[in-house]
């Protein structure tokens, strides 16, 4: 995992800051889905039923990631582009790398 510059993190809140409660709610829902998966496996449920729930959980987590990425683009990247210079180039490259990681999964 990449290390973030601590001074950059202190400068401004993350893009999801204003919508943090919604993000946490989504993550708690995913957490509940994962616990449900554990229960299905513990109860020796049918493989296809477990796989169906794995797919649903994966999609829910991907939705959280897309939401966070949108917030990042609207907040962090937009501010950097407005400022211009190296920071803008770096933030756009960082966002492109994040999108590439999602596409590989």
């Amino acid at each position: 995992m990449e290390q973030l510059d601590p001074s950059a993190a202190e400068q401004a809140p993350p893009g999801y800051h204003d919508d943090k409660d919604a993000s946490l709610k989504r993550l708690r829902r995913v957490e509940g889905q994962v616990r449900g998966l554990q229960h299905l496996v513990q109860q020796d449920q049918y493989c296809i039923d477990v796989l169906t729930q794995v797919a649903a959980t994966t999609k829910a987590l991907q939705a959280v990631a897309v939401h966070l990425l949108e917030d990042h683009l609207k907040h962090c990247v937009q501010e950097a582009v407005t400022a211009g210079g190296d920071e803008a180039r770096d933030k756009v490259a960082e966002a492109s790398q994040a999108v590439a990681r999602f596409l590989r999964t």
Side-chain angles (χ1 to χ4, degrees):
M1 182 176 275
E2 296 176 32
Q3 292 289 7
L4 299 177
D5 178 10
S7 63
E10 293 171 2
Q11 291 175 0
Y16 60 82
H17 179 74
D18 292 339
D19 203 19
K20 185 193 253 184
D21 289 338
S23 294
L24 289 170
K25 183 178 179 181
R26 289 173 183 230
L27 288 168
R28 282 191 293 272
R29 190 175 304 127
V30 171
E31 181 181 21
Q33 287 176 290
V34 171
R35 281 194 306 273
L37 283 166
Q38 292 171 341
H39 181 73
L40 290 175
V41 172
Q42 286 173 341
Q43 298 299 316
D44 292 325
Q45 294 297 312
Y46 185 57
C47 300
I48 297 302
D49 294 340
V50 176
L51 289 170
T52 299
Q53 292 307 312
V54 167
T57 303
T58 300
K59 288 293 184 188
L61 194 52
Q62 288 172 341
V64 171
V66 168
H67 181 74
L68 291 171
L69 181 60
E70 287 174 349
D71 284 346
H72 179 67
L73 292 171
K74 290 177 186 174
H75 182 263
C76 303
V77 174
Q78 185 175 7
E79 284 183 8
V81 167
T82 300
D86 290 342
E87 182 181 357
R89 185 190 69 244
D90 293 346
K91 286 290 182 186
V92 169
E94 179 183 59
S96 295
Q97 290 168 1
V99 170
R101 282 193 300 274
F102 289 122
L103 293 176
R104 284 192 292 253
T105 60

